[in-house]
Amino acid sequence: MLTKRIIPCLDIKDGRTVKGVNFVSLRDAGDPVELAAKYAATGADELVFLDISATEQGRKTMADLVLKVAATVDIPFTVGGGISSVADVDILLKNGADKVSINSSAVRRPELIKELSQAFGAQCVVVAIDAKKIGGQWLVHLVGGKQATKLDLFDWAKQTEQLGAGEILFTSMDHDGTKGGFANEAIAKMAECVNIPIIASGGAGNMEDFYNAFTFGKADAALAASIFHYGEVEIPELKAFLKDKKIPIRL
Amino acid sequence: MNVVIVDYGAGNIQSVLFAMKRQGIKAVLSNELEVIEKADKVIFPGVGHAAAAMEKLQKSGIDLLLPQLKQPVLGICLGMQLMCSHSEEGNTNGLGVFDVEVKAFEKKLKVPHIGWNTIEQLQGQLFKGIENESYIYMVHSYYAALSSDTIAVCHYDIAYSAALAKDNFFGTQFHPEKSSAVGNKILENFLVI
């Protein structure tokens, strides 16, 4: 039986793991390769690395990091941040990334999804969407959540699927960093709109939150950062908890 | 041991290379027919589109060489699908090692099939020491139907071939190089065949 995935996310700035709260105020959370190896060994199903360097030097450091991660971990991983062309993706996949995630660049130029999907296959194209509920409507935000658009979350999700996205990584900015649970209602609505897997992100605070994301939220995978980095939730304990509650989980 | 990973410009070759390294094997990447022919073991990876991949194989002549190989050959993911007779993906003829049709998942469940699933009805040397219902990592939109060459079964909406074997040819739909300890054991098994 296909299992629900638990995905630790590592935000990378200039080669180090960092984690902000509500997209700001960064704290150092350690060496990414060491963290990745630890997560893989303790039962993470996949890993996501998001490059938030936004500098040329940072990008090069990221490509090197991908190579080091691929050498060390034996589970799949996704790399995102600052990707805007087939050439950008080519380097990351050649260095050993399994999938890439694109965000703002896909909103600015939706054709990018199609280009990547045709060049490398839909299975490695993850479209990340950051959204926030404003006046009753979920609106897509860009540039790490700093820039609002008029784009409706669910319309955009459908469009990404049509263009060839293989997965959607949905982050609720209203929930991110709050530790108050995932945006289950919106995730469940998205699950009805598209037929590709959805990774829920933003809001994980305890083990129950994951259970709710997989049941009420109908998410295929759940992603979290700080609670894993700071040991507030341990992956083996979380997976045993979910398995105990009849969620299909790989132990 | 001389392990050659067929490098025809498709797929996540780096991960297979690193997986070999973890087995203590320094594998060689090559698209040269002579190098492939002389290998002790051949790994045939692949990610992407079947038609585009077949075109690349035809350009390098690997399409004719591969089915003639006598040493153990392991196709992974698209590599395995290309070793089948035909794929619905781009209506592509494969290498015909396995007399199996590759079909698209009907969209009753989410496609691509992504994540960790279980394999069962395991047979043969490739799965020596692997427990029934072990978890492996799958990521694909097309599947090889069940056949007499099936040596492992996976369920996703329907039952299909998680692995195939015929004579010296092996194929896994899943990615052993990304399937943690279970995957490493399967690769280790392949290396001693």
Side-chain angles (χ1 to χ4, degrees), chain A residues 48-51 59 78-90 92-93 99-118 120-130 140-144 156-157 159-161 163-171 199:
Chain A
V48 170
F49 297 86
L50 289 182
D51 180 15
R59 298 266 173 272
T78 302
V79 180
I83 294 167
S84 58
S85 68
V86 167
D88 290 343
V89 172
D90 196 47
L92 297 170
L93 295 184
K99 311 183 227 181
V100 293
S101 105
I102 50 174
N103 191 333
S104 303
S105 57
V107 175
R108 291 196 194 104
R109 201 172 66 79
E111 281 295 301
L112 178 63
I113 301 171
K114 204 177 200 175
E115 289 166 17
L116 297 180
S117 185
Q118 281 170 352
F120 309 106
Q123 82 291 328
C124 72
V125 183
V126 182
V127 175
I129 310 177
D130 299 333
V140 175
H141 282 60
L142 304 182
V143 204
W156 175 233
Q159 204 186 333
T160 67
E161 181 185 22
L163 287 165
E167 265 181 309
I168 292 173
L169 166 53
F170 165 42
T171 303
I199 304 166

Side-chain angles (χ1 to χ4, degrees), chain A residues 17-186:
Chain A
T17 318
V18 292
K19 179 60 198 172
V21 177
N22 287 90
F23 287 81
V24 285
S25 92
L26 302 170
R27 285 165 69 186
D28 192 279
D31 175 64
V33 180
E34 269 173 40
L35 254 184
K38 183 195 134 193
Y39 289 139
T42 52
D45 294 306
E46 236 177 276
L47 299 168
V48 170
F49 297 86
L50 289 182
D51 180 15
I52 57 168
S53 310
T55 62
E56 193 55 34
Q57 195 51 45
R59 298 266 173 272
K60 282 184 190 136
T61 310
M62 195 63 183
D64 293 342
L65 177 65
V66 168
L67 200 59
K68 283 183 206 153
V69 172
T72 310
V73 307
D74 52 11
I75 59 168
F77 67 97
T78 302
V79 180
I83 294 167
S84 58
S85 68
V86 167
D88 290 343
V89 172
D90 196 47
I91 296 169
L92 297 170
L93 295 184
K94 276 200 177 122
N95 280 8
D98 297 280
K99 311 183 227 181
V100 293
S101 105
I102 50 174
N103 191 333
S104 303
S105 57
V107 175
R108 291 196 194 104
R109 201 172 66 79
E111 281 295 301
L112 178 63
I113 301 171
K114 204 177 200 175
E115 289 166 17
L116 297 180
S117 185
Q118 281 170 352
F120 309 106
Q123 82 291 328
C124 72
V125 183
V126 182
V127 175
I129 310 177
D130 299 333
K132 195 174 183 165
K133 203 172 186 180
I134 297 172
Q137 190 187 9
W138 281 92
L139 293 177
V140 175
H141 282 60
L142 304 182
V143 204
K146 288 196 271 288
Q147 189 186 325
T149 71
K150 292 196 168 75
L151 200 55
D152 178 81
L153 169 64
F154 306 103
D155 288 345
W156 175 233
K158 279 184 236 172
Q159 204 186 333
T160 67
E161 181 185 22
Q162 282 157 8
L163 287 165
E167 265 181 309
I168 292 173
L169 166 53
F170 165 42
T171 303
S172 162
M173 294 166 56
D174 294 327
H175 297 71
D176 193 59
T178 63
K179 299 188 180 177
F182 292 90
N184 296 321
E185 216 175 295

